[in-house]
Amino acid sequence: MTAVLEKPTQQLTPKEPRQWKGPAVFVAVAIIALVVMPLVLEPFRLGLLAKYLCYAIVALGIGLAWGQGGMLTLGQGVFFGLGGYAMGMYLKLNDAGGDLPDFMVWSGVEDLPALWAPFGNPVFALAMVVVVPLVVAVLLGTLVFRQRVRGAYFAILTQALAAAMVILLIGQQGLTGGTNGLTNFFDFFGNDVAAESTQRGLYLTVAIVLGVLYLAAWQLVRSRFGRLLLAVRDGEDRVRFLGYNPATVKTITFAISAVMAGIAGALFVPVVGIISPALLGVVPSLELVVAVAVGGRFALAGAVLGAVVMGYAKTYFSEELPDAWLYLQGALFILVMTLAPKGIVGVATALRARVRKEASA
């Protein structure tokens, strides 16, 4: 009788730490990001961290689409740019105070283009940050996934889309600022963009948005839709034979990742002070994919961690070894994909499992 009563207690005890481990880690990271970092980092470094967190939002979407859904997207810079330009257009019109933005004057534009006029309204601009990437992703996903385009073909298609986006932006000097893009922002909803208090507030905003989106993505992965998404990744044809439509599942996930990238682009503009074609082309998109792979594409936390780690590494090595960074990045990607395909998170998980096994032996 005593043995029977003790058995449930022995089963419940090891489960309690696991149940609280995830939320505890999230709260600890949130405290470090929202309280510790603003206190210990100087304004310049805090601004860099805010930039890394913007990239982490994009990486979170890539982790959702690629790691959970098996869609290797090499063109997230497109959606990042759509959100960034939507925010940049509002900021330029706000700074102009009813006149033409400075780059339009230099380009010889005499009247404000009809495309720009609605972006003088902040509500419209903020709505377009979400709506435009969402619509583009839904249209692209509907056309592509219904034709059962996947794997390398889908990756190449998104990469070509990013290249076409850059060519389009550069060719419209009077409309988009051309190669230089949109820059020289001074006012952000009534606050001086360059002020330390504004930059600190922007950092906190980016960190909170990242936390909210992470929780939303985490809940999505744990839901019935998330399990269906994993099934599509591991056996799309089997899911189709069971009566589900994989194209719909993939389109929804692709659209969610696009919205995340658009939000990241909108936050990036006031944080860094520029949005240009150089920030949303093929190379930046590939760098984000590399970051997700390094962190661990099968875990949402790995995507976020990889973006922050790679962002810091790029800054450090660009300062110390500017000519070697690209080679180091390529070598790191090759090593991770060959020796640790599950990234940093996968290595940490394997080590933890090995320690537990040795401790219980």
Side-chain angles (χ1 to χ4, degrees), residues 102-347:
D102 49 11
F103 75 91
M104 289 187 182
V105 176
W106 304 333
S107 301
V109 177
E110 297 181 355
D111 297 317
L112 185 68
L115 177 65
W116 274 70
F119 285 90
N121 186 319
V123 176
F124 179 86
L126 291 176
M128 290 302 102
V129 167
V130 174
V131 172
V132 175
L134 176 64
V135 171
V136 173
V138 169
L139 291 176
L140 180 63
T142 302
L143 294 174
V144 171
F145 296 132
R146 282 189 177 181
Q147 300 299 323
R148 301 185 184 181
V149 177
R150 53 187 173 181
Y153 300 101
F154 176 73
I156 294 173
L157 180 63
T158 56
Q159 187 179 46
L161 182 64
M165 181 74 170
V166 171
I167 295 173
L168 177 64
L169 293 174
I170 292 177
Q172 302 295 322
Q173 175 70 37
L175 192 64
T176 64
T179 305
N180 296 325
L182 306 180
T183 186
N184 295 327
F185 307 113
F186 302 102
D187 181 83
F188 181 72
F189 294 98
N191 300 293
D192 182 8
V193 174
E196 181 179 336
S197 59
T198 303
Q199 289 297 315
R200 191 176 298 273
L202 286 170
Y203 165 78
L204 294 175
T205 301
V206 173
I208 292 172
V209 170
L210 174 59
V212 171
L213 292 178
Y214 178 85
L215 290 177
W218 179 78
Q219 185 61 39
L220 180 67
V221 170
R222 291 171 58 90
S223 67
R224 184 173 179 271
F225 180 86
R227 293 192 292 272
L228 182 59
L229 179 63
L230 290 177
V232 171
R233 180 195 69 185
D234 297 334
E236 182 174 336
D237 293 331
R238 292 183 180 181
V239 172
R240 183 178 295 107
F241 294 150
L242 290 174
Y244 294 98
N245 188 354
T248 302
V249 177
K250 295 171 75 172
T251 299
I252 293 174
T253 307
F254 184 56
I256 293 174
S257 70
V259 169
M260 289 184 179
I263 294 174
L267 293 171
F268 180 90
V269 171
V271 167
V272 180
I274 186 175
I275 183 71
S276 69
L279 296 170
L280 50 98
V282 174
V283 174
S285 298
L286 288 174
E287 288 180 345
L288 288 169
V289 172
V290 172
V292 173
V294 170
R297 64 187 177 99
F298 296 110
L300 297 177
V304 174
L305 176 64
V308 176
V309 169
M310 292 298 288
Y312 174 79
K314 181 177 181 179
T315 300
Y316 176 80
F317 286 109
S318 295
E319 294 174 352
E320 301 296 331
L321 301 170
D323 296 331
W325 162 242
L326 291 178
Y327 299 102
L328 291 173
Q329 187 182 40
L332 181 61
F333 179 69
I334 294 173
L335 288 175
V336 168
M337 295 305 294
T338 54
L339 301 179
K342 294 185 179 180
I344 297 175
V345 171
V347 172

Side-chain angles (χ1 to χ4, degrees), residues 353-361:
R354 182 175 180 180
V355 171
R356 287 179 179 175
K357 183 178 180 180
E358 293 178 352
S360 61

Side-chain angles (χ1 to χ4, degrees), residues 63-85:
L64 187 63
W66 182 30
Q68 306 299 318
M71 295 170 283
L72 177 56
T73 169
L74 302 180
Q76 288 300 94
V78 172
F79 308 111
F80 181 85
L82 290 174
Y85 271 89

